[in-house]
C-alpha cells in the first residue's frame, strides 16, 4: 500500500468507527425514550408523554412514535385492568344503573 492508500484507508476506518458510535448513541437514546414513555404513561403524565413522543418521532418519524405510544398504552391498560377512578366515576355508576334497571337517584 502506498501512503495515499493507507491514509485513505485510515480515514475510512475512523469514519466507520464514528458512524458506529453515532448508531450506538441513537439506539441508547431510543431505548431511554422508550423506557421514559412507559413510565410517563404509567404515571398518567400526559404532558410528559407528548414531550417524549415528539422526541421519539425525531428518531422514528411521527407515525411510528404515535404507534409505539398507543401500543404501550394498550398493553399497560390490559395489564392494569379496570381503574379505581373509572369504578368511582359517574359514567360507571350510570352504566351499572342501566344494566340493573334501577332508576337514577
Amino acid at each position: 500500500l502506498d501512503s495515499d492508500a493507507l491514509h485513505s484507508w485510515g480515514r475510512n476506518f475512523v469514519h466507520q468507527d464514528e458512524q458506529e458510535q453515532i448508531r450506538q448513541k441513537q439506539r441508547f437514546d431510543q431505548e431511554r425514550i422508550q423506557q421514559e414513555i412507559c413510565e410517563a404513561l404509567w404515571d398518567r403524565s400526559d404532558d410528559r408523554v407528548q414531550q417524549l413522543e415528539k422526541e421519539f418521532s425525531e428518531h422514528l418519524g411521527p407515525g411510528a412514535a404515535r404507534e409505539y405510544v398507543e401500543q404501550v398504552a394498550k398493553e399497560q391498560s390490559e395489564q392494569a385492568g379496570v381503574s379505581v377512578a373509572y369504578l368511582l366515576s359517574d359514567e360507571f355508576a350510570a352504566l351499572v344503573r342501566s344494566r340493573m334497571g334501577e332508576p337514577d337517584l
Side-chain angles (χ1 to χ4, degrees):
L1 289 174
D2 65 18
S3 127
D4 288 337
L6 187 58
H7 184 67
S8 177
W9 178 84
R11 268 195 323 240
N12 189 36
F13 182 76
V14 170
H15 181 68
Q16 288 176 347
D17 187 50
E18 290 171 350
Q19 287 178 331
E20 180 57 29
Q21 288 176 353
I22 290 168
R23 282 191 294 273
Q24 286 177 350
K25 182 182 180 321
Q26 288 173 338
R27 279 192 300 270
F28 174 79
D29 287 347
Q30 289 178 10
E31 291 171 3
R32 175 192 56 80
I33 294 167
Q34 287 174 314
Q35 181 62 36
E36 288 186 32
I37 287 171
C38 291
E39 292 169 5
L41 284 167
W42 193 256
D43 293 341
R44 302 177 71 81
S45 177
D46 295 337
D47 291 342
R48 182 71 177 136
V49 170
Q50 286 180 339
Q51 176 187 8
L52 290 164
E53 183 180 336
K54 181 179 178 187
E55 186 178 348
F56 201 36
S57 71
E58 294 171 8
H59 292 277
L60 300 179
R66 170 90 314 245
E67 185 177 315
Y68 178 78
V69 169
E70 289 173 354
Q71 181 62 35
V72 171
K74 178 181 181 280
E75 290 172 5
Q76 286 184 358
S77 176
E78 290 170 352
Q79 291 171 357
V82 178
S83 73
V84 172
Y86 177 68
L87 293 175
L88 297 174
S89 72
D90 292 337
E91 178 184 358
F92 181 71
L95 175 65
V96 169
R97 284 192 295 275
S98 72
R99 297 281 171 90
M100 295 182 69
E102 294 182 14
D104 288 344
L105 300 176

